[in-house]
Amino acid sequence: MKRLLAAAGLSAALVMTGCSQPGEEDRPEAAADAAVEADAPPPAEAPGEAAAVPAGPAGVATPATPAAPGAPAFAVLYPGAVPKSEPVSAQGPSGPGGTLEFTTEATPDEVVAFYRQRAEAAGLKAITSLHRDGARGYAAGDGADGRGKMLNVVATPVEDGPTDVLLMWSSGR
């Protein structure tokens, strides 16, 4: 439990680091970005819609269950996972987001690989990774000039038990 709390604290710090980007009003190129976005084609998928499903455990394609209603395609419940509680949803400057805790029989490496694949499929770029005392973590986002999409996952092994996972996300503006 101490490892999970330490990993959650580290994850929160990583997420807050990503949130310290300058606001739209602080960027002189914001107006130009808005004009380019207006002319850009719509994204391939809307938040909450299923994307191409990356392979789950053992390389088998697995249907994805959103981590919470309206969660983006990269924030899904790991195949076969058991939620520990209801997801917590919030609205912030980077748009809607949430957290979900669950357990799985998969290893921390398998969990992180699954979410890394989903993040990359959604166009998110790796920000950082964690490897400490068997725990694995991964954070990805769409960058300082992006819309605020972010994924953060920490998977902690439990002695004689399933892997504990903390999943956090932001859908972006």
Side-chain angles (χ1 to χ4, degrees), residues 5-127:
L5 291 175
L10 177 61
S11 296
L14 294 172
V15 169
M16 294 310 295
T17 301
C19 292
S20 65
Q21 304 300 326
E24 289 292 323
E25 64 279 355
D26 298 332
R27 291 181 36 223
E29 67 275 32
D33 289 348
V36 170
E37 286 181 26
D39 293 334
E45 65 185 62
E49 289 184 9
V53 180
V60 177
T62 311
T65 301
F74 54 84
V76 298
L77 188 60
Y78 188 84
V82 177
K84 293 174 79 172
S85 61
E86 292 293 317
V88 176
S89 298
Q91 179 69 37
S94 294
T99 63
L100 177 64
E101 289 184 84
F102 60 87
T103 60
T104 178
E105 294 300 323
T107 68
D109 286 330
E110 291 170 327
V111 171
V112 167
F114 174 82
Y115 286 104
R116 180 184 307 267
Q117 189 175 19
R118 290 201 74 88
E120 289 172 357
L124 302 182
K125 305 286 186 252
I127 296 171

